[in-house]
Amino acid sequence: MPRFLHTADWQVGRQYASFAPDDAVAMAEARISVIERIANLAAEEAVDAVLVAGDVFDAQMVSDRTIRRLFNAMAAYTGPWILISGNHDAALAESVWTRAQRLEAVPANAHLALTAEVMEFGDAGFAILPAPLTQRHTMSDLTEWFDHAETTDGLLRIGLAHGSVQGILAEDENATNPISPERYQSAKLDFLALGDWHGTKQINPRTWYSGTPEQDRFKGNDPGNVLMVQIPEVGAEPQVEIRSIGQHPWIQMKERLAVSSDLEQLIARIEGQPEQAVVELRLEGEISLLGKQQLERALSVAEARFRSLGYDLSGLSLQPTEDDIAALHADGYVGDVIAELRDQQEGEGGEVARDAMAILASILLEKQAQGGDA
């Protein structure tokens, strides 16, 4: 009963230039460490092979060190790894793959399926029909040759490809790297392991995208998984189990604040997010001065707990309450300034007024804490 681990879209070497340097380094490193976890899982489960459906590397020009580290990360699993090229790492005449081979970085158990030809693993009971990309974009279905490929009787027929299933993921009829949704039928495949779509998705019982094992964008399409695939015998329906393996979930939060209880609930939701998450927060609505102080304290705590926290508070209007002003002892001239800044938020230069009011409130609170007069 052959068992496979299906994964794709490692995109090792990806850069995260829009993040703070320490976060960018950690997230790039996570793309190596997730391969180590995949290798450990494959070894623990004693699978017959690991199928890697393209975009192993993020680009052709990754460093030699990155190439070596990727293959080193696979060491814990000594069974066959079967890897194809995708659109990011297409098998060009001169490519990241030819460089890896020149470096002698590819271990003997890593099978680079860079040409369209059957690879049989008779002792393990399966044959691989690969459709590697040999250029970044193609308008033809590179899996078409599967229909006529001959394999030894009694071996499972496993397709391995990278692209967009027509009519399901690619609405544009001119979409690149198309794959027929009927390929599993026309080619009599027992399973078709796909890459390119970064979330886990079942197309039909025999056709699956594993998604990227380490999430890399804010898109709720179930990333961060690998697939454990078991096929009892030729012609039997695959048994597919989704295994979560990612380290950094990416979470977008967009909230509107209107009353004080909204802020309390927001802080509770922030505190409830998993550690090491990559969080993007956008807030709109109204908040009091003291409420903003409370929010800033909560965000400071969250920044230390999350892998990365980005937030946009520009949609929040500061609305000091009478309690705010009383608590700040902002009477007389200072009270008048706060009132004027509150009014200016709604007009041109509102962001400057909002920032000025927050700074003024911070100064007043600091003076209070030090026992000084406002």
Side-chain angles (χ1 to χ4, degrees), residues 71 74 104-111:
F71 288 108
M74 297 160 53
E104 298 182 346
V106 184
N109 63 321
H111 303 270

Short mmCIF file of all heavy atoms in Angstrom, two decimals, residues 71 74 104-111:
data_model
loop_
_atom_site.label_atom_id
_atom_site.label_comp_id
_atom_site.label_asym_id
_atom_site.label_seq_id
_atom_site.Cartn_x
_atom_site.Cartn_y
_atom_site.Cartn_z
N PHE A 71 19.21 21.20 0.01
CA PHE A 71 19.38 19.75 -0.08
C PHE A 71 19.86 19.16 1.25
O PHE A 71 19.51 18.03 1.60
CB PHE A 71 20.31 19.40 -1.24
CG PHE A 71 19.68 19.60 -2.59
CD1 PHE A 71 20.07 20.66 -3.40
CD2 PHE A 71 18.68 18.76 -3.02
CE1 PHE A 71 19.48 20.86 -4.64
CE2 PHE A 71 18.08 18.95 -4.26
CZ PHE A 71 18.47 20.00 -5.08
N MET A 74 17.03 18.13 3.59
CA MET A 74 16.28 16.93 3.26
C MET A 74 16.88 15.67 3.86
O MET A 74 16.34 14.57 3.70
CB MET A 74 16.22 16.79 1.72
CG MET A 74 15.48 17.93 1.03
SD MET A 74 15.88 18.13 -0.74
CE MET A 74 15.60 16.49 -1.38
N GLU A 104 27.44 19.46 -7.09
CA GLU A 104 27.33 18.13 -6.49
C GLU A 104 26.58 18.20 -5.16
O GLU A 104 26.91 17.51 -4.20
CB GLU A 104 28.70 17.49 -6.31
CG GLU A 104 29.44 17.28 -7.63
CD GLU A 104 30.78 16.60 -7.45
OE1 GLU A 104 31.27 16.52 -6.31
OE2 GLU A 104 31.33 16.13 -8.47
N ALA A 105 25.55 19.09 -5.15
CA ALA A 105 24.76 19.29 -3.94
C ALA A 105 23.57 18.35 -3.86
O ALA A 105 22.95 18.23 -2.79
CB ALA A 105 24.27 20.74 -3.89
N VAL A 106 23.22 17.71 -4.97
CA VAL A 106 22.02 16.88 -5.02
C VAL A 106 22.34 15.48 -4.49
O VAL A 106 23.16 14.76 -5.07
CB VAL A 106 21.48 16.78 -6.46
CG1 VAL A 106 20.17 16.00 -6.47
CG2 VAL A 106 21.28 18.18 -7.06
N PRO A 107 21.69 15.06 -3.40
CA PRO A 107 21.97 13.72 -2.86
C PRO A 107 21.45 12.63 -3.79
O PRO A 107 20.58 12.87 -4.64
CB PRO A 107 21.24 13.71 -1.52
CG PRO A 107 20.15 14.73 -1.67
CD PRO A 107 20.69 15.79 -2.58
N ALA A 108 21.97 11.43 -3.63
CA ALA A 108 21.63 10.32 -4.53
C ALA A 108 20.14 9.97 -4.47
O ALA A 108 19.58 9.47 -5.46
CB ALA A 108 22.48 9.10 -4.18
N ASN A 109 19.48 10.23 -3.34
CA ASN A 109 18.06 9.86 -3.21
C ASN A 109 17.13 10.97 -3.68
O ASN A 109 15.90 10.84 -3.57
CB ASN A 109 17.72 9.46 -1.77
CG ASN A 109 17.91 10.60 -0.79
OD1 ASN A 109 18.86 11.38 -0.90
ND2 ASN A 109 17.03 10.70 0.18
N ALA A 110 17.67 12.07 -4.18
CA ALA A 110 16.86 13.15 -4.73
C ALA A 110 16.82 13.01 -6.25
O ALA A 110 17.84 13.16 -6.93
CB ALA A 110 17.42 14.51 -4.33
N HIS A 111 15.66 12.69 -6.78
CA HIS A 111 15.50 12.44 -8.21
C HIS A 111 14.93 13.71 -8.87
O HIS A 111 13.78 14.08 -8.61
CB HIS A 111 14.56 11.26 -8.43
CG HIS A 111 15.02 10.00 -7.76
ND1 HIS A 111 15.84 9.08 -8.37
CD2 HIS A 111 14.80 9.54 -6.49
CE1 HIS A 111 16.09 8.09 -7.52
NE2 HIS A 111 15.47 8.35 -6.38
#
